[in-house]
Amino acid sequence: ECVPVILSDQVELPFQNVIDYTQISIKLPSTLIGPELLEYLASIPDEVIEKMIARGRQVRCLWVYAPDSEPCSTMRAIMWELQRKVRQFHHSAETFWLHNGSIVNRDL
């Protein structure tokens, strides 16, 4: 029941290809740590925070290990990510492989 504040210049968030983190979190550069950060956070209207919390509730099941019968769980999100990466790998113009299964770059 909170809005995550991410203070990082470079971070890869879990399931970032499934979740629109701009709808459920605030991400700022690490250089903003200080009074300006607190002022900015305090200036966000309560209605905006409530909407972000509500959106977060819709995807929080992705961080819960639940039975396979559940439509939303961490395991399902991991599988979605793996399937996306497999599709991306096979469709990459930079990915080549030889008859023995070796992966090679464009220069062979």
Side-chain angles (χ1 to χ4, degrees):
E1 297 300 310
C2 64
V3 175
V5 178
I6 303 163
L7 298 172
S8 177
D9 300 327
Q10 299 174 346
V11 64
E12 184 174 338
L13 298 168
F15 318 125
Q16 66 186 15
N17 296 300
V18 176
I19 299 170
D20 181 358
Y21 277 92
T22 64
Q23 299 293 310
I24 64 167
S25 66
I26 298 166
K27 182 178 181 230
L28 297 165
S30 58
T31 56
L32 286 183
I33 297 173
E36 309 87 21
L37 172 62
L38 295 176
E39 290 170 16
Y40 171 74
L41 294 175
S43 74
I44 301 171
D46 289 343
E47 307 85 57
V48 172
I49 297 297
E50 288 300 322
K51 284 182 183 177
M52 294 177 87
I53 290 170
R55 290 183 195 119
R57 281 188 202 114
Q58 294 172 346
V59 296
R60 72 177 167 197
C61 58
L62 295 174
W63 288 281
V64 176
Y65 285 92
D68 289 340
S69 59
E70 291 295 320
C72 180
S73 70
T74 300
M75 194 61 186
R76 287 191 186 257
I78 290 169
M79 295 307 294
W80 292 333
E81 274 296 298
L82 290 174
Q83 289 171 350
R84 185 194 61 80
K85 288 185 184 230
V86 166
R87 284 191 304 272
Q88 184 180 27
F89 171 79
H90 288 298
H91 295 299
S92 169
E94 299 298 319
T95 305
F96 302 92
W97 52 90
L98 303 179
H99 68 284
N100 62 3
S102 297
I103 305 297
V104 295
N105 65 22
R106 182 175 288 283
D107 300 325
L108 299 177

